């Protein structure tokens, strides 16, 4: 029992040591950290709208509640100061003929309630501003204008946060693994992508970036060097009719960075394949981008995706997402170089070749038979 647990623990440690760092997670989040930024963090306040939208919900709701409570309490203090200066509070024992700036403000609590009623336009009718004090009238106007600005900004930020196209991107899903197999007589890297909504993405475009560490001829080491990866589908890689799951593929030819990889050496490679899908949301006309990534352990050589679309007896098309990431083993060349050599060998077998050094000479045959 102890040896079994020790073996499991050692295998877990080996797996963690082999775990690769990812720039882009499977759900599209970027794993990058900025350090020693010389600019002050106050520069983010210049673009306060984007800063608010990028905040997480817990921070956004904290700012939302703090903005309203802070403004109500601040103006509550100002209304209390106005009542105190004008001697409207009960401790000053105002006369019967005394007209206060604000009716029925008896302390800080009632001043806070009047501030709340003013800014959110509740208007209970119990507390109100009189024409006795110009300062109170100016403060009422100022709080009303500022309250509209705060309401517009905060409600607009929450509405924009809810309706961001980033949320639409969560209904676009990629297969867990990428596969390498033959397609149309060519060795291809295939990825499956699906739209979980019936609404389309207009003008969709799919492309990829291969991130790896390269060393230039000058000896410079470039971390996260980017190489373009062209993905296509049978109908083209632009303006996709993205109503059903699509299988996108990259042809591994002599210009592909996967050309010199083989099934035996794939896991020894150090790369990250990032796949992008850009499109316009049909409902809101907002653009969105979906991202995912694949490391060598998530690229299966010699597999293809299981069928996912079928037709029912009623004539409807049915998509079975249970088989979305399911793969099936198929016969596949162990490298692209071998596949192209095999094709060239078969092509040469069908052709005849003339030997230019061959010369046909005629031989005159003489009869040496004597009678």
């Amino acid at each position: 029992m102890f040896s079994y647990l020790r073996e499991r623990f050692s295998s877990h440690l080996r797996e963690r040591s082999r775990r690769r760092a990812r720039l882009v997670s499977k759900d599209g989040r970027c794993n990058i950290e900025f350090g020693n930024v010389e600019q002050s963090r106050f520069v983010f306040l210049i673009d306060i709208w984007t800063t608010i939208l990028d905040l997480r919900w817990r921070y956004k709701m904290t700012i939302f509640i703090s903005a309203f409570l802070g403004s109500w309490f601040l103006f509550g203090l100002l209304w209390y100061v106005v009542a105190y200066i004008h001697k409207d509070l009960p401790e000053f024992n105002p006369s019967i003929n005394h007209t206060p700036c604000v009716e029925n403000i008896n302390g800080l609590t009632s001043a806070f309630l009047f501030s709340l009623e003013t800014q959110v336009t509740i208007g209970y009718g119990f507390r109100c501003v009189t024409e006795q004090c110009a300062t109170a009238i100016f403060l009422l106007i100022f709080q009303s204008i500022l309250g509209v600005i705060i309401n517009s900004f905060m409600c607009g930020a929450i509405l924009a946060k809810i309706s961001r196209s980033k949320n639409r991107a969560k209904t676009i899903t990629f297969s867990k693994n990428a596969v390498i197999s033959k397609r149309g007589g060519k060795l291809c890297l295939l990825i499956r992508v699906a739209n979980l909504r019936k609404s389309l993405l207009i003008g969709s475009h799919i492309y990829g970036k291969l991130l790896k560490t390269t060393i230039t001829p000058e000896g410079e080491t470039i971390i996260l060097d980017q190489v373009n990866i062209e993905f296509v589908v049978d109908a083209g890689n632009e303006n996709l009719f993205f109503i059903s799951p699509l299988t996108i593929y990259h042809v591994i030819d002599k210009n592909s960075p996967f050309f010199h990889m083989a099934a035996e050496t794939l896991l020894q490679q150090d790369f990250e394949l990032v796949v992008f899908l850009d499109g316009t949301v049909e409902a809101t006309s907002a653009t969105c981008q979906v991202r995912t990534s694949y490391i060598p352990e998530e690229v299966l050589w010699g597999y293809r995706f299981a069928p996912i679309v079928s037709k029912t007896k009623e004539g409807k098309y049915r998509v079975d997402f249970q088989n979305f990431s399911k793969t099936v083993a198929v016969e596949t060349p162990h490298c692209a170089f071998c596949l192209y050599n095999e094709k060239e060998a078969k092509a040469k077998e069908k052709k005849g070749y003339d030997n230019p050094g061959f010369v046909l000479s005629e031989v005159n045959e003489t009869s040496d038979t004597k009678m």
Side-chain angles (χ1 to χ4, degrees):
M1 182 66 181
F2 179 75
S3 60
Y4 173 76
L5 293 177
R6 183 175 58 183
E7 183 180 354
R8 289 293 302 272
F9 181 73
S10 60
S11 63
H12 177 70
L13 292 179
R14 287 195 300 268
E15 183 180 355
R16 290 194 61 182
S17 63
R18 291 196 305 266
R19 191 173 299 171
R20 303 173 188 262
R22 311 179 74 114
L23 178 65
V24 179
S25 63
K26 298 296 289 184
D27 57 357
R29 291 178 295 179
C30 295
N31 180 26
I32 191 168
E33 179 180 346
F34 297 99
N36 298 325
V37 180
E38 295 182 358
Q39 293 183 345
S40 173
R41 294 186 179 271
F42 289 102
V43 297
F44 294 100
L45 296 178
I46 299 176
D47 188 13
I48 186 63
W49 179 254
T50 305
T51 302
I52 293 296
L53 290 183
D54 289 339
L55 289 177
R56 295 185 178 182
W57 274 109
R58 54 179 176 266
Y59 303 126
K60 184 186 295 293
M61 294 307 299
T62 301
I63 295 177
F64 181 84
I65 296 173
S66 300
F68 282 104
L69 290 179
S71 62
W72 296 340
F73 184 74
L74 175 62
F75 280 99
L77 288 177
L78 294 178
W79 287 115
Y80 179 80
V81 170
V82 170
Y84 184 86
I85 295 176
H86 199 253
K87 297 183 179 181
D88 299 334
L89 300 177
E91 56 262 28
F92 293 104
N93 296 320
S95 60
I96 300 176
N97 297 327
H98 178 77
T99 303
C101 290
V102 181
E103 295 282 354
N104 300 307
I105 286 187
N106 302 319
L108 185 58
T109 303
S110 58
F112 174 79
L113 292 176
F114 179 73
S115 173
L116 171 62
E117 296 166 7
T118 300
Q119 189 162 329
V120 300
T121 65
I122 294 177
Y124 290 122
F126 182 68
R127 302 179 182 88
C128 61
V129 178
T130 63
E131 68 277 6
Q132 181 68 26
C133 184
T135 304
I137 297 175
F138 174 79
L139 185 59
L140 176 65
I141 296 174
F142 183 72
Q143 183 177 5
S144 299
I145 296 175
L146 186 61
V148 171
I149 295 175
I150 295 176
N151 290 340
S152 302
F153 185 86
M154 290 300 172
C155 295
I158 291 181
L159 179 61
K161 181 77 171 180
I162 295 174
S163 60
R164 290 184 75 179
S165 56
K166 187 176 181 180
N167 297 326
R168 176 63 175 93
K170 294 181 180 179
T171 56
I172 306 296
T173 181
F174 288 89
S175 57
K176 181 180 179 181
N177 298 100
V179 298
I180 295 179
S181 60
K182 292 176 63 176
R183 185 183 181 93
K186 301 177 181 179
L187 192 64
C188 299
L189 183 142
L190 301 96
I191 297 173
R192 179 171 279 175
V193 58
N195 180 14
L196 302 181
R197 288 185 178 271
K198 293 184 178 180
S199 59
L200 300 178
L201 282 181
I202 305 172
S204 300
H205 175 63
I206 298 177
Y207 57 97
K209 299 285 185 181
L210 187 70
L211 308 179
K212 59 180 182 178
T213 301
T214 58
I215 300 177
T216 62
E218 295 77 16
E220 180 185 2
T221 301
I222 302 178
I223 301 178
L224 298 179
D225 186 23
Q226 300 183 14
V227 180
N228 291 327
I229 301 295
E230 294 294 334
F231 283 98
V232 295
V233 294
D234 294 333
N237 62 340
E238 293 185 358
N239 300 324
L240 304 177
F241 185 49
F242 200 13
I243 191 65
S244 63
L246 299 175
T247 301
I248 62 175
Y249 61 91
H250 164 71
V251 179
I252 304 178
D253 54 12
K254 295 182 180 180
N255 297 323
S256 172
F258 295 94
F259 183 77
H260 299 286
M261 300 182 188
E264 297 82 3
T265 62
L266 180 62
L267 296 179
Q268 301 174 5
Q269 304 294 326
D270 185 15
F271 67 84
E272 181 178 354
L273 176 62
V274 183
V275 184
F276 303 86
L277 171 62
D278 297 339
T280 304
V281 182
E282 185 179 27
T284 61
S285 298
T287 58
C288 71
Q289 183 183 87
V290 194
R291 299 179 296 268
T292 191
S293 68
Y294 299 92
I295 56 178
E297 288 80 0
E298 296 170 344
V299 179
L300 306 179
W301 195 296
Y303 289 83
R304 64 172 175 82
F305 291 110
I308 190 174
V309 181
S310 60
K311 193 173 184 179
T312 62
K313 297 180 180 180
E314 294 79 11
K316 295 182 179 181
Y317 293 94
R318 183 175 183 271
V319 180
D320 186 8
F321 281 95
Q322 186 177 0
N323 295 334
F324 180 73
S325 295
K326 186 178 180 180
T327 57
V328 180
V330 292
E331 184 179 354
T332 306
H334 75 283
C335 66
F337 188 75
C338 298
L339 176 62
Y340 282 94
N341 285 345
E342 181 183 353
K343 288 184 177 180
E344 291 179 1
K346 290 182 179 180
K348 289 180 180 180
E349 289 179 359
K350 298 179 181 179
K351 295 181 181 180
Y353 293 90
D354 294 331
N355 188 357
F358 179 77
V359 178
L360 178 63
S361 61
E362 296 181 358
V363 179
N364 294 326
E365 297 182 357
T366 58
S367 178
D368 296 335
T369 305
K370 294 181 181 182
M371 297 300 293

